[in-house]
Amino acid sequence: MHVNEKKIAFCGLLLAICEILLVLSKVIDVSTLFFLAAASFCTGVAVREYGLSLGFAFFVASELLGLILVPDKLYCLTYGMMAFYIWAREAIWRLLSKKNLRKNPSKLLWIAKYAVFNVMYIPAVILMPELFYKGTYSLGMRAMLLLGGQVILWIFDKAYCYFQDAVWGKYRRVLQ
């Protein structure tokens, strides 16, 4: 695979923005999830601009650099799950668009996206509940966490779609 200088320079700048957002997630504690989500959107930009393989390389590089730079390593885990979800979402979309499915591709897309999310989220809630809640856990609390995660995924996905369409769609023409 031949990567030209423009791709490398753009991905390097995008990686710098991503890492700044990751560090800001620790510095400005009230907006932690906002900054982590914004950093994970950079993975989506890399995938949409240069494809799945370079997008995955960007994801791995951002996660490794984040482990070095970010003071709180648990934020890197959260970012990694968000960024991997976006990479997988883009991969699923490309796979479904190649299959040329005429019978309700949006339902299939949502089923696949929720499957990817829940493969990561449910084990995290069961095995590492202290990531989400510091108190004692009851069965009702776990059920609320599982249901709340589904709602948050829907909001996160809608925010990502808005970012790609309205924000990046407008500025990508200026940058090229």
Side-chain angles (χ1 to χ4, degrees), residues 6-28:
K6 184 178 177 182
K7 287 180 183 179
I8 293 172
F10 180 79
C11 284
L13 290 173
L14 193 61
L15 185 61
I17 292 168
C18 179
E19 296 307 316
I20 289 169
L21 290 169
L22 283 175
V23 170
L24 282 176
S25 71
K26 179 60 180 165
V27 174
I28 305 172

Side-chain angles (χ1 to χ4, degrees), residues 9 46 90 98 106 130 147-148:
E90 294 292 332
K98 282 183 183 176
S106 65
E130 63 276 352
L147 183 62

